[in-house]
Amino acid sequence: DEHAANFKMKGKRRRSNKYKLDWEWAKETSLDQISEQQLEKIYGVHFDRCTMTDDKTHAKSNCRGNPNCLIHLGEANWIASADVGTSAYMEVVENIIRQDNQFVGLRNLGATCYVNSLLQAWFFIPEFRNAIYNYRNELITDEVIDINLLTDNRFNLIGLQENMTMEDCNSEKLIVNKTPNKFAKSDAKSSSKSKQSLLNILYENVPEFIGNQERTLPTFASICDYLQLVFAFLQFSKRRYIDPSPLISFLGLDTNQQQDVQEFCQLTMALLETTLASQTDAKVRNSIQTLFQGEYSYITKCGSCNFTSERKATFFELDLTVAGHSTLEKSFDDFFKKETLDGSNQYYCEVCQRKRDASRHIGIDAFPPVLNIQLLRSTGQKKKLKSTLHFPEVLDMTKYLRHGSNTTSCIYDIKAVLIHRGTGTQSGHYFAHIKEDESKSWYVFNDETVYQLSGKKLQIDEDSMESDDLSQSNNKNSKPVKAGYHASRSAYMLVYTRRCSAVEDNRDIRKNVFLPRTIVNIVAEDNMCLKSWINAVEKQKQINHIMAISNKAEQINRIYPSFISDIDQSYEWICTEWLLDWLRKEETVSSIDNSSVLCDHKKLSPNFLPMVKRISQTSANELYTLFGGGPRLSKEDMCRQCVENICRRIQFDTKLNEDWKFIKSIATEKYTAGDNGFWVGKASLRNWKVLATKEFKKTIIESSSQTITEMSCLTEEDIESDIVTSPETTNYDAFEFNQDLLCGEHSNLTAVEKNRELVSETVWLLLKNYFPKATSYQVGSPICRHCEEVIQSKLECGENSKTLAINEKKFLSKLYSNKSRPSILDEGEYYILPMKFIKSWRNFIRQPLVSCRPQQIDLSDVLCEHNKLPFDPLMEFDQVNNYVNVTTEEWAELVNHYSIRLGSCTQIKITVKDKLCQCFPACCRICIDSSIEKRALEIKTYRNAKIYISKDCPDKEKSTDSFQEETEKGSRKRGIATTSPLRRSKRIILLTHDDWIHGRCRRGEVAVKISSDETLRDLKLKVMTEFQVAPFDQHLSLNGCELSDNDGTLGSLGIMPDCRLTLKIDLPVEIAEEVPRG
């Protein structure tokens, strides 16, 4: 689970930190003072050896950072000893056999943890268990057997096989393996590999669970018969856990789909109540009602006449809201609070004979002996509410009882807590905390795993499977838990039992158990098979040689024990990867290869220490004799030169960090020291730390021929600081310190002041230590004259551009702000300019020092390939954004400032005179027709577009006419003619009032998403979902024309995005006659 995974990761971190090399001494140690002891310390020679006794701390994995850890390399697969065999036997027996004073678990079949939790909670209610035991199926004729329990009244195992023989078992109804295992005859070769092989053999020979075999119970068995079988196994089985598959199959549950435990509890209770209703024994017949059923009343009181009405009801559980409540008592108060009935929810008073304001609440008439409380944690979005709820160990329900009772107690003790772990209600995991009555101890039932909690108190969070969401007082963010209370963020169901009730006084129930003979035979035979298997295992443990040892196993058993080498003994280093191959693979391995852990000096690199192990020279000699290879790495092969280089880097990093912090601390103060300052490139000053590290690597490589990879010892903090302080676009491989201080062409001091910064002499001397080749530029150093002249020239040009921009903006202000543009509706002349030129011109006017001034006007950007207008100014849908209309005065002003590109027409002019439109050059009919066809094709091809459908309404024509009147009235107010007097093209698309307001859903309409390739039949199916009308009763109309081709696509039928359809419905004759006319 997640908690175990986190624990394992933390364990790995602890081990990695434990074996992390300590280089603190290198910060102040001279290179010629590195001793032999320090060298061995760096190579981990003095690390502690790991032994098999430390197995738990290693989580069955080898310590990668410790060269002295020689366990968990794969040696356990070959080391033959009696201890390995014994541990294998003990492991299997502990996993299969139930120990004394231990309860039986239930196997999780995939997603059946919710069933297992409820079954365990019901099993520990003695009256319910006894009622199930006393159930008798009328269709099955069977003898009843009295099974005596032990005198301590605990559920200790009893030897059923001692009271019965195999002949007593009903073999006609059982499929039983008479020879539970054949381990004694197992092939010696198959058991010679490892402990795992032995475990596999043992598990394969565990006898099959008889309770899960075919025809275990007759086909006409009921749920109570299967519960009898499950409860009998839970009480008397010798297995650590059993398989509830027969009950799960009978109930028809999907083992891969988790259900809500509250819903399953309600359905199962109803099924049990129905099944037990046919029993002749009244105690058994009424057991569900007697144990779990309570009574309450819905009490409604009229606010006018105070008349009170009551409606009786029963309940098996109380559903309490968790949201907004911190304690169980507050949830109960919310459950029993009065509800006000007013407004549209008024109560009809029988006395007043009319609806009145009233109050309603729930009153408890009787509480059951077993009180089930369901905690509603669902948020309605398949997510679980994880707020903490405090609930008491002792629950007093006296104040909630309407009529006090002197004979029945209302004091309840906590019996069980069902926990749900997970974020959603459809997933996660259920398990239960249950209190055992005799010992008063708490147990955790988590499917197959059952264990007792320490002490007598319920400790939800300390011993649960996960500790991330159950609270105790040590949770800093949670409210402190009062004495006698418990808190949980995952409790899903609480079970309380009443004091001084039949639940507590149950001696007779525990003394004798009566079960049908068929059930007893099944449990007894399964126990007998297990006992025979245990006897075979015990016999096999007496064999001296458990596994036949092969040649390789003999080789490993001879060499591996001599691996361990003391510090004062001779030793060698060997590659871990080769050791793993030798100890884990059955086939013959290749020769020893240590070349992957060598440095450039042909010695063992300290950076590759996690990849080697230190073994004795005796075992190394034997390995090299058998397998050959090399090079051999002894004590003399620890590379002192690599260690010295690493020390240099550590000392360099220490000084670098100190200087970086000093320079950073004074960088915020602008230096103005007169003639004592020095110029530094801004980018170089900002990233000098990274550049200094690069220079250091170069020095190391040149001095010792060491690779950059070997010398890369940056800490995580250094890397993070380098990333933060470095510009994203800097290429450090090609960038040199103060390179940005020089001009690119002449290599002189740059004249651009924004690229350089003034620093003090102290800072410059620090930087000079890291960059000795950098040239010093003191204040007053001459700057590059050539660059200075260029900058001065640019400044003068910028002033000229700024003056031109101001003048042009002054005379063409409306064009710049795109206001008062001429249109086709205005009499007179106007010109057309390309939008490309206008955008460039506006950018220049806005930022004359940054943007370039357009050179000329290119009218070809507006014309088509035929040097004509590719659009009709009268066609509204052709008003694209690739040109701008300008007045005659604006055109004349622009022509004075900008030339017309040669090769294109000199002007594009539109003249509107006497309500006629004339274009120069003329409109290109070829391009216009092509554009119209392309647009029509695009309109007919669409995906997930919206259309609007409304039912046929008699007032629709009236509303349509009023809309047109309002549209024309509003148009006249704005001075716009609704019908243009200008000559229009025949291709003009007339817009209806529906098109004017497309994209908005009106009242009474429904928006439906469609695609052009869908058919009318598909659309009718969507309409059926929205209007609840069958497709054959639908008549859809577009613009008054009914659509009848059900197989036609919507695009071919002319249905476009945002259009509106009318739906007329065929009503049945009876309904149609009732509709009033007019």
Side-chain angles (χ1 to χ4, degrees):
D1 57 23
E2 183 180 356
H3 180 66
N6 292 336
F7 179 80
K8 184 179 291 186
M9 290 302 298
K10 291 179 181 178
K12 290 184 177 180
R13 293 193 201 101
R14 285 197 295 268
R15 295 198 301 275
S16 63
N17 293 333
K18 178 181 179 181
Y19 300 115
K20 185 177 181 180
L21 299 180
D22 183 13
W23 291 90
E24 288 295 325
W25 58 270
K27 294 180 180 180
E28 300 178 356
T29 302
S30 177
L31 299 181
D32 55 358
Q33 295 179 352
I34 299 178
S35 63
E36 192 70 23
Q37 184 178 5
Q38 288 175 326
L39 194 64
E40 289 184 344
K41 185 177 181 181
I42 292 172
Y43 277 86
V45 175
H46 297 275
F47 283 164
D48 295 335
R49 291 197 305 267
C50 299
T51 61
M52 294 300 294
T53 57
D54 302 326
D55 185 66
K56 292 184 179 180
T57 62
H58 287 77
K60 298 185 179 180
S61 63
N62 184 265
C63 300
R64 188 171 181 267
N66 185 3
N68 299 329
C69 180
L70 299 173
I71 63 173
H72 298 308
L73 293 170
E75 74 284 350
N77 296 336
W78 307 97
I79 299 298
S81 66
D83 293 338
V84 175
T86 302
S87 63
Y89 290 118
M90 294 302 297
E91 179 178 339
V92 175
V93 170
E94 290 178 0
N95 287 335
I96 300 300
I97 303 302
R98 171 187 181 184
Q99 304 301 314
D100 290 342
N101 300 326
Q102 182 183 10
F103 294 115
V104 178
L106 291 169
R107 181 187 174 192
N108 192 333
L109 306 179
T112 58
C113 53
Y114 67 100
V115 180
N116 295 344
S117 300
L118 269 181
L119 289 177
Q120 294 284 14
W122 289 338
F123 174 77
F124 278 89
I125 300 176
E127 289 85 358
F128 180 73
R129 185 175 66 249
N130 187 63
I132 295 299
Y133 283 161
N134 291 330
Y135 168 81
R136 302 293 175 256
N137 194 325
E138 297 178 353
L139 302 178
I140 302 176
T141 303
D142 203 353
E143 179 185 358
V144 177
I145 298 178
D146 181 4
I147 303 175
N148 295 322
L149 297 180
L150 298 181
T151 56
D152 60 357
N153 291 334
R154 294 295 307 277
F155 295 146
N156 290 329
L157 297 177
I158 61 172
L160 293 179
Q161 69 282 354
E162 297 174 0
N163 299 327
M164 303 184 60
T165 61
M166 291 293 292
E167 290 74 12
D168 294 329
C169 300
N170 190 353
S171 58
E172 296 179 356
K173 294 186 179 181
L174 299 173
I175 299 177
V176 181
N177 184 4
K178 297 298 181 180
T179 57
N181 68 78
K182 301 178 181 179
F183 179 72
K185 299 180 180 180
S186 61
D187 189 3
K189 293 183 179 181
S190 64
S191 61
S192 64
K193 296 181 181 180
S194 62
K195 175 184 175 181
Q196 186 61 42
S197 300
L198 179 59
L199 288 173
N200 293 337
I201 295 174
L202 288 171
Y203 279 118
E204 288 175 0
N205 288 275
V206 173
E208 183 182 357
F209 179 54
I210 295 179
N212 192 24
Q213 295 183 359
E214 297 179 359
R215 294 186 287 108
T216 299
L217 291 176
T219 55
F220 42 81
S222 67
I223 181 177
C224 294
D225 293 306
Y226 285 98
L227 269 181
Q228 276 185 348
L229 182 62
V230 171
F231 282 4
F233 272 114
L234 288 178
Q235 187 165 351
F236 304 117
S237 176
K238 288 184 177 294
R239 296 182 183 266
R240 188 173 66 86
Y241 62 88
I242 64 169
D243 190 337
S245 293
L247 176 61
I248 301 298
S249 301
F250 173 81
L251 295 175
L253 300 177
D254 186 355
T255 57
N256 295 320
Q257 182 177 1
Q258 187 178 96
Q259 297 184 16
D260 185 75
V261 69
Q262 299 171 353
E263 181 181 1
F264 174 75
C265 178
Q266 296 170 359
L267 295 176
T268 308
M269 280 292 180
L271 180 60
L272 288 172
E273 185 179 15
T274 303
T275 305
L276 294 173
S278 60
Q279 294 293 293
T280 56
D281 189 343
K283 292 184 178 180
V284 178
R285 182 173 63 250
N286 301 322
S287 58
I288 298 297
Q289 296 89 333
T290 303
L291 291 174
F292 302 102
Q293 181 175 290
E295 298 178 359
Y296 59 70
S297 301
Y298 290 99
I299 305 170
T300 306
K301 184 176 182 180
C302 177
S304 297
C305 65
N306 293 330
F307 172 73
T308 302
S309 65
E310 297 183 9
R311 180 167 60 88
K312 300 291 185 179
T314 60
F315 65 90
F316 287 116
E317 65 275 324
L318 295 179
D319 299 332
L320 300 187
T321 303
V322 177
H325 306 301
S326 59
T327 65
L328 187 66
E329 288 84 351
K330 292 182 179 180
S331 294
F332 270 119
D333 293 340
D334 180 69
F335 182 80
F336 291 110
K337 73 177 181 180
K338 291 186 178 181
E339 175 188 6
T340 302
L341 305 178
D342 55 6
S344 60
N345 196 30
Q346 279 187 323
Y347 161 71
Y348 183 82
C349 179
E350 298 178 1
V351 177
C352 299
Q353 293 297 311
R354 59 180 301 178
K355 289 188 175 182
R356 295 287 192 182
D357 291 346
S359 62
R360 176 177 293 172
H361 69 279
I362 296 175
I364 298 294
D365 298 317
F367 283 109
V370 180
L371 181 60
N372 291 325
I373 300 175
Q374 306 284 1
L375 302 178
L376 304 180
R377 291 188 176 272
S378 176
T379 61
Q381 299 176 350
K382 295 184 179 180
K383 293 184 179 181
K384 190 182 75 172
L385 184 66
K386 299 185 72 174
S387 58
T388 302
L389 184 74
H390 296 244
F391 55 91
E393 292 184 3
V394 179
L395 180 64
D396 187 358
M397 300 296 291
T398 304
K399 66 177 181 179
Y400 301 115
L401 193 65
R402 292 181 60 197
H403 309 292
S405 175
N406 298 327
T407 59
T408 305
S409 172
C410 291
I411 305 299
Y412 286 82
D413 297 304
I414 187 70
K415 175 68 177 178
V417 181
L418 268 65
I419 303 294
H420 175 266
R421 289 289 163 76
T423 57
T425 58
Q426 303 298 320
S427 60
H429 180 62
Y430 288 94
F431 61 96
H433 295 69
I434 302 175
K435 184 178 183 181
E436 198 272 318
D437 292 335
E438 289 296 318
S439 64
K440 305 299 181 183
S441 299
W442 282 92
Y443 289 81
V444 174
F445 292 83
N446 188 15
D447 294 331
E448 298 90 348
T449 304
V450 180
Y451 59 90
Q452 182 179 356
L453 297 177
S454 59
K456 300 295 183 180
K457 298 292 184 180
L458 174 59
Q459 301 172 8
I460 295 181
D461 114 319
E462 292 181 358
D463 296 284
S464 297
M465 302 307 294
E466 297 178 8
S467 61
D468 60 334
D469 75 344
L470 286 180
S471 61
Q472 286 285 345
S473 58
N474 59 351
N475 191 338
K476 297 180 180 179
N477 298 325
S478 63
K479 181 181 178 181
V481 182
K482 296 191 303 183
Y485 275 76
H486 302 283
S488 171
R489 294 198 304 163
S490 297
Y492 227 63
M493 179 177 174
L494 304 177
V495 180
Y496 284 87
T497 55
R498 189 165 57 199
R499 281 186 185 178
C500 301
S501 65
V503 176
E504 185 173 347
D505 189 13
N506 47 37
R507 300 173 186 173
D508 294 338
I509 296 176
R510 293 179 179 275
K511 185 176 180 180
N512 295 315
V513 175
F514 297 89
L515 285 173
R517 185 181 184 86
T518 302
I519 302 294
V520 176
N521 289 347
I522 295 173
V523 178
E525 188 161 358
D526 187 70
N527 287 345
M528 292 176 66
C529 292
L530 272 181
K531 185 174 182 180
S532 300
W533 175 76
I534 294 175
N535 292 336
V537 170
E538 292 292 336
K539 182 178 179 181
Q540 189 65 23
K541 285 172 59 178
Q542 304 301 323
I543 301 175
N544 295 329
H545 298 286
I546 299 170
M547 298 180 292
I549 303 177
S550 61
N551 293 332
K552 183 171 182 177
E554 186 275 331
Q555 178 189 99
I556 293 175
N557 277 268
R558 185 182 74 255
I559 300 175
Y560 175 79
S562 63
F563 266 15
I564 299 176
S565 173
D566 294 331
I567 299 176
D568 54 351
Q569 295 178 343
S570 299
Y571 58 84
E572 291 192 21
W573 308 90
I574 192 166
C575 185
T576 307
E577 184 178 0
W578 185 88
L579 279 179
L580 293 175
D581 289 342
W582 178 57
L583 291 171
R584 293 182 179 182
K585 294 183 179 180
E586 298 182 16
E587 62 271 11
T588 304
V589 296
S590 59
S591 58
I592 302 172
D593 184 10
N594 291 329
S595 59
S596 60
V597 296
L598 300 181
C599 65
D600 282 1
H601 312 109
K602 304 303 179 183
K603 293 187 176 183
L604 177 61
S605 170
N607 293 327
F608 295 145
L609 184 63
M611 300 171 58
V612 295
K613 295 297 178 183
R614 189 176 69 91
I615 63 176
S616 65
Q617 192 170 28
T618 303
S619 57
N621 291 335
E622 193 164 359
L623 288 176
Y624 281 106
T625 301
L626 290 173
F627 301 101
R632 299 185 68 164
L633 302 175
S634 62
K635 179 179 181 180
E636 290 72 22
D637 290 304
M638 293 184 293
C639 186
R640 177 179 291 272
Q641 197 168 354
C642 287
V643 173
E644 291 177 353
N645 287 334
I646 294 177
C647 290
R648 288 192 187 97
R649 177 56 193 269
I650 293 174
Q651 293 171 3
F652 170 80
D653 286 341
T654 302
K655 186 176 184 302
L656 179 68
N657 288 329
E658 292 175 356
D659 293 343
W660 179 76
K661 291 178 181 178
F662 171 74
I663 294 177
K664 184 179 180 181
S665 63
I666 64 175
T668 56
E669 303 177 2
K670 188 172 183 63
Y671 180 73
T672 56
D675 297 335
N676 295 327
F678 289 82
W679 290 111
V680 180
K682 279 193 176 181
S684 298
L685 184 61
R686 188 168 57 248
N687 305 286
W688 73 271
K689 186 179 180 182
V690 181
L691 298 174
T693 304
K694 186 185 75 170
E695 289 293 326
F696 173 79
K697 290 181 180 179
K698 284 183 180 180
T699 304
I700 294 296
I701 294 173
E702 292 172 359
S703 61
S704 61
S705 302
Q706 190 73 324
T707 62
I708 296 179
T709 304
E710 289 285 327
M711 289 296 94
S712 179
C713 300
L714 272 174
T715 62
E716 294 181 2
E717 293 78 11
D718 294 335
I719 295 174
E720 291 176 359
S721 62
D722 292 346
I723 293 174
V724 172
T725 59
S726 60
E728 298 179 355
T729 58
T730 304
N731 184 1
Y732 297 113
D733 294 334
F735 189 82
E736 299 292 339
F737 181 78
N738 263 355
Q739 176 181 334
D740 54 326
L741 188 61
L742 307 178
C743 60
E745 297 181 2
H746 316 100
S747 298
N748 295 326
L749 183 61
T750 179
V752 183
E753 294 186 1
K754 67 178 182 180
N755 291 343
R756 49 192 168 96
E757 188 169 336
L758 196 62
V759 298
S760 65
E761 184 178 4
T762 304
V763 173
W764 173 249
L765 292 178
L766 283 176
L767 294 175
K768 190 69 174 177
N769 290 333
Y770 294 98
F771 308 101
K773 297 180 181 179
T775 304
S776 300
Y777 291 95
Q778 199 169 3
V779 174
S781 299
I783 62 175
C784 182
R785 296 301 177 187
H786 302 284
C787 295
E788 189 176 18
E789 293 174 0
V790 172
I791 292 175
Q792 187 64 32
S793 176
K794 289 183 178 180
L795 290 175
E796 294 176 358
C797 292
E799 290 297 327
N800 295 334
S801 299
K802 190 174 182 180
T803 302
L804 288 174
I806 293 173
N807 293 334
E808 292 181 17
K809 183 178 180 181
K810 178 180 179 181
F811 294 103
L812 300 170
S813 59
K814 292 184 178 180
L815 178 61
Y816 174 74
S817 59
N818 198 29
K819 295 180 179 179
S820 302
R821 296 297 87 212
S823 69
I824 193 68
L825 300 179
D826 301 327
E827 289 280 340
E829 297 178 350
Y830 65 91
Y831 294 82
I832 289 179
L833 284 178
M835 178 58 75
K836 181 179 179 182
F837 169 80
I838 294 297
K839 286 184 177 180
S840 178
W841 176 77
R842 286 172 177 166
N843 290 336
F844 166 71
I845 299 299
R846 188 180 301 109
Q847 295 178 320
L849 300 180
V850 178
S851 303
C852 296
R853 185 173 183 267
Q855 298 297 322
Q856 57 185 357
I857 301 174
D858 188 1
L859 297 177
S860 62
D861 293 335
V862 182
L863 303 177
C864 67
E865 59 184 358
H866 310 103
N867 286 329
K868 295 183 179 181
L869 289 180
F871 58 86
D872 187 344
L874 296 175
M875 300 179 68
E876 296 183 20
F877 69 88
D878 277 339
Q879 299 289 338
V880 292
N881 295 326
N882 64 340
Y883 64 88
V884 176
N885 299 337
V886 297
T887 63
T888 304
E889 294 77 10
E890 292 170 341
W891 170 258
E893 185 69 25
L894 287 171
V895 172
N896 288 336
H897 292 87
Y898 300 94
S899 61
I900 307 297
R901 191 183 73 87
L902 297 178
S904 64
C905 66
T906 58
Q907 63 181 10
I908 301 176
K909 183 178 180 181
I910 308 296
T911 303
V912 180
K913 186 177 181 180
D914 297 334
K915 300 181 181 180
L916 296 177
C917 178
Q918 183 179 1
C919 302
F920 178 83
C923 298
C924 182
R925 291 302 170 189
I926 298 176
C927 295
I928 293 175
D929 292 343
S930 176
S931 176
I932 292 175
E933 292 176 0
K934 182 179 179 180
R935 176 175 173 81
L937 181 61
E938 291 176 352
I939 292 177
K940 289 185 178 181
T941 305
Y942 50 86
R943 290 284 178 187
N944 294 325
K946 281 186 179 181
I947 64 171
Y948 305 97
I949 301 175
S950 60
K951 290 184 179 181
D952 187 18
C953 177
D955 298 332
K956 183 176 181 182
E957 295 181 0
K958 181 178 178 180
S959 62
T960 302
D961 295 338
S962 63
F963 175 83
Q964 292 177 346
E965 292 175 0
E966 292 177 1
T967 304
E968 295 177 359
K969 183 178 179 181
S971 300
R972 287 194 295 271
K973 287 182 179 180
R974 295 189 297 270
I976 302 174
T978 55
T979 305
S980 176
L982 301 179
R983 178 179 58 84
R984 289 182 174 269
S985 170
K986 295 180 180 180
R987 299 175 180 85
I988 293 178
I989 298 177
L990 297 178
L991 302 178
T992 64
H993 75 280
D994 284 337
D995 299 317
W996 283 96
I997 60 170
H998 71 280
R1000 296 179 58 186
C1001 189
R1002 305 179 200 161
R1003 181 179 300 175
E1005 291 181 339
V1006 174
V1008 179
K1009 287 188 176 182
I1010 62 171
S1011 299
S1012 59
D1013 56 352
E1014 292 180 338
T1015 63
L1016 182 61
R1017 181 177 290 104
D1018 297 332
L1019 175 58
K1020 288 186 176 181
L1021 292 176
K1022 294 181 180 181
V1023 173
M1024 179 180 66
T1025 304
E1026 298 292 342
F1027 291 94
Q1028 309 300 322
V1029 179
F1032 49 80
D1033 287 332
Q1034 299 177 18
H1035 297 276
L1036 293 173
S1037 300
L1038 175 63
N1039 296 330
C1041 298
E1042 183 176 350
L1043 304 174
S1044 57
D1045 186 4
N1046 290 328
D1047 295 325
T1049 61
L1050 302 183
S1052 63
L1053 295 175
I1055 300 177
M1056 300 303 161
D1058 298 322
C1059 72
R1060 285 178 158 77
L1061 301 183
T1062 303
L1063 172 63
K1064 185 177 180 180
I1065 302 173
D1066 283 345
L1067 298 176
V1069 177
E1070 294 80 0
I1071 299 178
E1073 290 177 352
E1074 296 176 0
V1075 176
R1077 298 182 180 179

